[in-house]
């Protein structure tokens, strides 16, 4: 439906330039061209199929520049549509070729050449127009007389009236010839929007303000605008009168667009995409992006919007070291969202991971083949480099770099270099990649580790036999020796205890001291505790996300458990991720691994992989277990120190100690933890402000 003139004046302004917009009368499209040229518009639209670029058979007309102008197409005096007039500037490209016979040039409609050197040129110029939700393609036939044909020079322009577009929409225009001899021209233009559609920010929320009359009925739609393919609708609703629509900032992505239109037949739809430059929208885009494995060698990047990215393979060794990019010998590959990609691999390996960079910053890393091929292996990756005259060199990829083989260095690969080369020659290594410049080989190290353990066990048996002989010779001291032996065994068991990764939100310095006291107390048990408080330098070097990924992977691979220590700040962060609340002050510290860990913790809970791998806990008088979000209560959540025996039993499964022994350990941890609890809840002097009952805290009983 045409837009009233007063709405157009509100959108375009009342400057003399706007009021002097040319008005076109009637709904028919038309075309006209520069003096000397002849042009004709096909009666109907055509399919938008550019086709492949083909070599020009001689001189041809080619579009060189696109120019647009806003005009008005009016049905009545005061009811007009905004229309985009497009001018295509043309030039002669190519050269004459000497004809071999008359049939080579005579009557060639596609090339437009009738006679060499003195013939007129013809061209079929396609204009493609796209403005959500419409797309059109029109065909213009242009003829240039021989007198105007000058190689490399402009011959004039052809003008098309016109493409109708909605206020506020983004229009994209392409131009090319048919057949296509050169890359198509393209132009993007943002049309002015109506003033009654505004976007405003309020903290973590975004408001869509629609100032329309109370009687006005209109439709509102949110959609993801796609560079390739149709838009993806996200939300739609019919509304009446002025409205304020609130969006959570986590829903924002750069391609999120808004469409508004009156609920009337053939109404004009207004489109606006206001979040393209919003930093939060770009952060949310990468949070929503996922790498998805399709087959053993093909994968794709799944994301709401298109984004500039490149991907490469890296080698992830067990132990938490950073993944080492395999560039070179491999290269970075450009990534297109939702487009299937393949790396030139002969075989896949669980230690091979995919890194995705954008603007030289690592955004995603996923070991796609670990789920299907099992956990990471303690293999060594050998890089073979091939030179001229069949020269080749080998090096072993290690955290310190690539160690040449053979080598006298003190690294593990250098010490086992001779055995690795023998395995490579005997075919025991798996070839992952191969081309003219080099190759990649994965060589197992398990057998060498087993040999070392066998020698160690043999030494232990010899020591035990010698000790037994001494005990037989000195029976009076047997009990003392046995007591010492028992202590050694217990110490060894503690050293080999179950791994536990402790995650928490750094609400304040007092709470961090409380967490440190708990971690230190747990270390007195057969537990190997990891917490970011003790790894600040390592976490600062790697970044919170990479550090947590490495610690979580190592803990779960060793059969350990991840402990989520909930506090008011942690509950607020979880609620923010679950879109139930906002983050609490102080939960954004530079070393806050809890925030970084949520991106990996949440999928385990959402996909049902958390039971047996995660345990929750909170402190009495600070937070009640019922205040923990329901999603995280799918695993046991214990209140400390009142439920310490059950908590310790969950940490030490499946080899839980006897009940009496468990109670003794609980009392030991409680005694070690009590001074820190008293200091936190009852500091010397006046009570600390803000430190009391958090959201949903318990009653202190």
């Amino acid at each position: 439906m045409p837009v009233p003139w007063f709405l157009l004046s509100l959108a375009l302004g009342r400057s003399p330039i706007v009021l002097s917009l040319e008005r076109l009368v009637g709904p028919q499209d038309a075309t006209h061209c520069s003096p000397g040229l002849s042009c004709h518009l096909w009666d109907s639209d055509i399919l938008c199929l550019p086709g492949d670029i083909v070599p020009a058979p001689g001189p041809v007309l080619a579009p060189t520049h696109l120019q647009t102008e806003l005009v008005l197409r009016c049905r009545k005096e005061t009811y007009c549509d905004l229309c985009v007039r497009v001018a295509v500037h043309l030039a002669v490209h190519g050269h004459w070729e000497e004809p071999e016979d008359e049939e080579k040039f005579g009557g060639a409609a596609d090339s437009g050449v009738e006679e060499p050197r003195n013939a007129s040129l013809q061209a079929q110029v396609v204009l493609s127009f796209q403005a959500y939700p419409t797309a059109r393609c029109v065909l213009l036939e242009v003829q240039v007389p021989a007198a105007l044909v000058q190689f490399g020079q402009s011959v004039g322009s052809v003008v098309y009236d016109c493409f109708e577009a909605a206020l506020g929409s983004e229009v994209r225009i392409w131009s090319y010839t048919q057949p296509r001899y050169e890359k198509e021209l393209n132009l993007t233009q943002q049309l002015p929007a109506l003033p009654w559609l505004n976007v405003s920010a309020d903290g973590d929320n975004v408001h869509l303000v629609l100032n329309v009359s109370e009687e006005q009925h209109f439709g509102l739609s949110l959609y993801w605008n796609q560079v390739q393919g149709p838009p993806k609708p996200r939300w739609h609703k019919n509304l009446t009168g002025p409205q304020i629509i609130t969006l959570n900032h986590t829903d924002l992505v750069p391609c999120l667009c808004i469409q508004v239109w009156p609920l009337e037949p053939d109404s004009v739809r207004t489109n606006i995409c206001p979040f393209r430059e919003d930093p939060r929208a770009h952060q949310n885009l990468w949070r929503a992006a996922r790498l998805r494995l399709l087959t053993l060698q093909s994968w794709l990047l799944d994301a709401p919007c298109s984004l500039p990215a490149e991907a490469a393979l890296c080698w992830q060794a067990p132990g938490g070291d950073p993944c080492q990019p395999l560039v070179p010998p491999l290269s970075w590959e450009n990534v297109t969202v939702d487009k299937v990609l393949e790396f030139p691999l002969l075989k896949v390996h669980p230690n091979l991971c995919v890194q995705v960079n954008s603007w030289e910053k690592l955004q995603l890393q996923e070991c796609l083949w670990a789920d299907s091929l099992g956990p990471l292996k303690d293999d060594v990756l050998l890089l073979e480099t091939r030179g001229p005259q069949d020269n080749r060199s080998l090096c072993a990829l290690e955290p310190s770099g690539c160690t040449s083989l053979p080598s006298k260095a003190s690294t593990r690969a250098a010490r086992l270099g001779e055995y690795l080369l023998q395995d490579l020659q005997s075919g025991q290594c798996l070839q992952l990649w191969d081309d003219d410049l080099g190759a990649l080989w994965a060589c197992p190290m398990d057998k060498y580790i087993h040999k070392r353990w066998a020698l160690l066990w043999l030494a232990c048996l010899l020591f035990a036999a010698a000790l037994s002989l001494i005990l037989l010779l000195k029976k009076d001291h047997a009990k003392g020796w046995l007591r010492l032996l028992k202590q050694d065994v217990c110490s060894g068991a503690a050293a080999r205890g179950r791994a536990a990764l402790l995650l928490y939100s750094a609400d304040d310095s007092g709470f961090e001291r409380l967490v440190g006291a708990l971690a230190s107390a747990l270390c007195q048990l057969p537990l190997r505790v990891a917490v970011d408080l003790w790894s600040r330098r390592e976490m600062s070097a790697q970044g919170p996300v990479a550090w947590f990924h490495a610690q979580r992977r190592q803990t779960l691979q060793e059969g350990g458990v991840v402990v989520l220590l909930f506090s008011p700040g942690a509950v607020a962060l979880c609620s923010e991720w679950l879109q139930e609340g906002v983050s609490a002050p102080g939960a954004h510290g530079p070393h806050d691994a809890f925030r970084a860990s949520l991106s990996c913790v949440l999928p385990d809970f959402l996909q049902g992989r958390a039971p047996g791998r995660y345990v929750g806990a909170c402190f009495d008088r600070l937070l009640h277990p019922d205040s923990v979000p329901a999603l995280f209560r799918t695993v046991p959540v214990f209140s400390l120190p009142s439920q310490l025996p059950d908590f310790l039993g969950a940490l030490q499964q499946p080899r839980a100690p006897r009940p009496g022994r468990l109670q003794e350990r609980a009392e030991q941890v409680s005694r070690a933890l009590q001074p820190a609890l008293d200091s936190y809840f009852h500091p010397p002097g006046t009570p600390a402000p803000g430190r009391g009952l958090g959201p949903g805290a318990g009653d202190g009983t």
Side-chain angles (χ1 to χ4, degrees):
M1 185 185 71
V3 181
W5 170 249
F6 80 92
L7 285 181
L8 278 176
S9 64
L10 286 176
L12 303 176
R14 296 188 177 274
S15 65
I17 297 177
V18 171
L19 293 178
S20 63
L21 287 182
E22 182 179 344
R23 298 192 181 193
L24 306 177
V25 180
Q28 292 81 14
D29 295 340
T31 185
H32 58 276
C33 46
S34 301
L37 306 183
S38 61
C39 51
H40 170 70
L41 172 66
W42 275 39
D43 295 334
S44 59
D45 290 358
I46 64 172
L47 294 176
C48 302
L49 299 174
D52 297 329
I53 296 178
V54 298
V60 294
L61 289 177
T64 59
H65 179 61
L66 289 176
Q67 189 175 359
T68 60
E69 178 185 3
L70 296 181
V71 296
L72 300 177
R73 171 171 283 170
C74 301
R75 271 72 170 178
K76 296 181 181 180
E77 179 67 22
T78 58
Y79 279 80
C80 303
D81 282 331
L82 195 62
C83 215
V84 180
R85 169 184 288 168
V86 183
V88 185
H89 296 265
L90 302 170
V92 178
H93 290 178
H95 300 279
W96 293 107
E97 296 181 358
E98 292 296 335
E100 297 179 359
D101 51 53
E102 293 295 327
E103 294 181 356
K104 180 174 181 180
F105 295 95
D110 289 345
S111 65
V113 182
E114 295 179 359
E115 294 181 4
R117 300 188 181 276
N118 60 356
S120 62
L121 291 181
Q122 293 181 353
Q124 292 183 339
V125 180
V126 178
L127 279 177
S128 175
F129 176 87
Q130 185 179 35
Y132 180 76
T134 60
R136 294 183 57 197
C137 279
V138 297
L139 183 64
L140 311 176
E141 289 187 339
V142 185
Q143 184 170 0
V144 181
L148 296 179
V149 176
Q150 298 181 9
F151 304 119
Q153 300 295 322
S154 174
V155 297
S157 61
V158 56
V159 179
Y160 171 74
D161 286 327
C162 58
F163 293 113
E164 294 183 9
L167 289 166
S169 62
E170 180 187 76
V171 299
R172 297 175 180 175
I173 302 171
W174 292 268
S175 179
Y176 50 89
T177 58
Q178 199 175 50
R180 188 160 65 101
Y181 301 119
E182 298 180 358
K183 185 178 180 180
E184 66 269 15
L185 296 178
N186 64 83
L187 176 68
T188 301
Q189 183 174 359
Q190 182 72 46
L191 301 187
L194 290 176
W196 41 264
L197 175 60
N198 296 306
V199 180
S200 63
D202 180 15
D204 288 334
N205 295 325
V206 175
H207 298 311
L208 307 181
V209 183
L210 297 107
N211 297 317
V212 300
S213 62
E214 295 183 358
E215 300 82 10
Q216 178 68 62
H217 302 278
F218 61 93
L220 178 68
S221 175
L222 301 180
Y223 64 93
W224 288 343
N225 191 25
Q226 304 295 303
V227 174
Q228 296 180 346
K232 297 179 180 179
R234 304 296 299 166
W235 184 83
H236 168 79
K237 197 170 186 180
N238 294 333
L239 304 169
T240 303
Q243 296 283 342
I244 298 180
I245 310 298
T246 302
L247 302 176
N248 193 294
H249 75 95
T250 58
D251 297 328
L252 305 184
V253 290
C255 62
L256 179 64
C257 298
I258 306 159
Q259 186 179 81
V260 184
W261 68 96
L263 294 178
E264 300 174 2
D266 300 326
S267 59
V268 176
R269 301 194 174 201
T270 300
N271 298 271
I272 181 173
C273 302
F275 308 112
R276 289 177 180 167
E277 306 300 329
D278 193 321
R280 295 177 301 177
H282 286 273
Q283 292 176 3
N284 293 336
L285 176 59
W286 281 110
R287 287 176 180 170
R290 293 290 181 269
L291 299 179
R292 188 151 53 93
L293 185 65
L294 301 179
T295 65
L296 282 181
Q297 293 185 335
S298 62
W299 60 280
L300 59 79
L301 175 62
D302 189 5
C305 315
S306 61
L307 42 81
E310 53 183 4
L313 288 174
C314 64
W315 180 262
Q316 180 64 66
D321 292 320
C323 197
Q324 297 175 278
L326 301 179
V327 179
L330 301 179
S331 60
W332 290 98
E333 300 287 344
N334 292 328
V335 179
T336 302
V337 173
D338 293 334
K339 181 179 179 181
V340 178
L341 295 173
E342 291 187 3
F343 285 112
L345 296 174
L346 301 176
K347 298 288 184 179
V348 292
H349 193 279
N351 294 28
L352 285 176
C353 304
V354 179
Q355 287 183 337
V356 179
N357 281 13
S358 180
W359 304 111
E360 299 183 355
K361 181 180 179 182
L362 178 62
Q363 298 288 357
L364 284 177
Q365 178 178 307
E366 190 72 29
C367 298
L368 297 176
W369 297 277
D371 291 338
S372 58
L373 300 181
L376 301 179
K377 296 182 178 180
D378 193 16
D379 291 358
V380 171
L381 186 69
L382 299 184
L383 277 66
E384 178 184 349
T385 303
R386 296 168 183 164
Q389 299 179 355
D390 294 334
N391 292 330
R392 71 171 189 168
S393 61
L394 285 168
C395 67
L397 192 63
E398 296 186 283
S400 58
C402 206
T403 304
S404 299
L405 297 181
S407 172
K408 296 182 180 180
S410 59
T411 63
R412 183 181 71 160
R415 289 192 296 267
L416 300 175
E418 182 179 349
Y419 301 103
L420 291 173
L421 294 176
Q422 291 177 0
D423 289 347
L424 180 62
Q425 294 175 358
S426 61
Q428 298 184 40
C429 297
L430 179 66
Q431 187 174 17
L432 306 179
W433 171 78
D434 181 59
D435 76 352
D436 296 337
L437 300 179
L440 294 175
W441 307 81
C443 298
M445 298 287 290
D446 295 343
K447 58 183 180 180
Y448 304 115
I449 297 175
H450 293 161
K451 287 181 180 179
R452 289 192 172 188
W453 278 110
L455 294 175
L456 181 61
W457 278 111
L458 181 59
C460 291
L461 290 175
L462 292 175
F463 175 76
L467 184 61
S468 300
L469 181 60
I470 294 174
L471 290 176
L472 289 175
L473 297 176
K474 297 184 178 182
K475 294 183 180 180
D476 294 339
H477 302 286
K479 292 184 178 180
W481 282 104
L482 289 175
R483 186 160 49 249
L484 292 175
L485 182 60
K486 181 178 181 181
Q487 292 177 356
D488 292 341
V489 171
C490 291
S491 300
R496 296 188 299 273
R498 193 181 190 192
L501 174 61
L502 190 60
L503 298 178
Y504 68 98
S505 173
D507 290 6
D508 52 45
S509 58
F511 186 74
E512 284 190 319
R513 288 193 293 271
L514 186 58
V515 173
L518 176 62
S520 299
L522 293 178
C523 284
Q524 305 302 319
L525 307 179
L527 289 173
R528 291 180 288 112
V529 180
V531 64
D532 67 337
L533 282 171
W534 301 340
S535 306
R536 286 287 168 82
R537 180 178 298 179
E538 179 183 353
M539 189 172 65
S540 297
Q542 299 181 13
V545 176
W547 182 86
F548 168 73
H549 275 283
Q551 295 295 328
R552 171 184 168 275
R553 185 188 306 112
Q554 181 178 357
T555 300
L556 297 182
Q557 285 179 353
E558 295 176 356
V561 61
V562 178
V563 180
L564 302 178
L565 189 57
F566 289 98
S567 63
V571 170
L573 276 174
C574 295
S575 300
E576 175 187 349
W577 276 80
L578 297 173
Q579 302 180 10
E580 295 177 0
V582 297
S583 61
H588 304 272
H591 303 293
D592 190 0
F594 189 84
R595 166 174 284 270
S597 67
L598 286 178
S599 60
C600 250
V601 168
L602 281 175
D604 287 343
F605 280 87
L606 293 172
Q607 298 173 16
R609 301 195 303 260
R613 308 167 79 183
Y614 289 82
V615 169
C618 58
F619 289 109
D620 298 338
R621 295 182 291 170
L622 183 62
L623 189 75
H624 196 278
D626 292 341
S627 299
V628 176
L631 177 64
F632 296 96
R633 294 202 301 271
T634 56
V635 301
V637 179
F638 302 98
S639 186
L640 307 181
S642 59
Q643 296 180 333
L644 261 175
D646 296 334
F647 176 65
L648 297 182
L651 292 186
Q652 298 182 20
Q653 288 178 351
R655 298 180 179 180
R658 298 186 301 274
R661 180 61 174 165
L662 191 61
Q663 183 64 33
E664 179 182 340
R665 291 176 177 175
E667 293 175 357
Q668 176 185 349
V669 173
S670 180
R671 286 193 300 269
L673 190 60
Q674 195 60 45
L677 289 171
D678 294 340
S679 176
Y680 185 79
F681 291 107
H682 304 291
T686 58
R691 183 181 296 169
L693 299 182
D699 57 3
T701 59

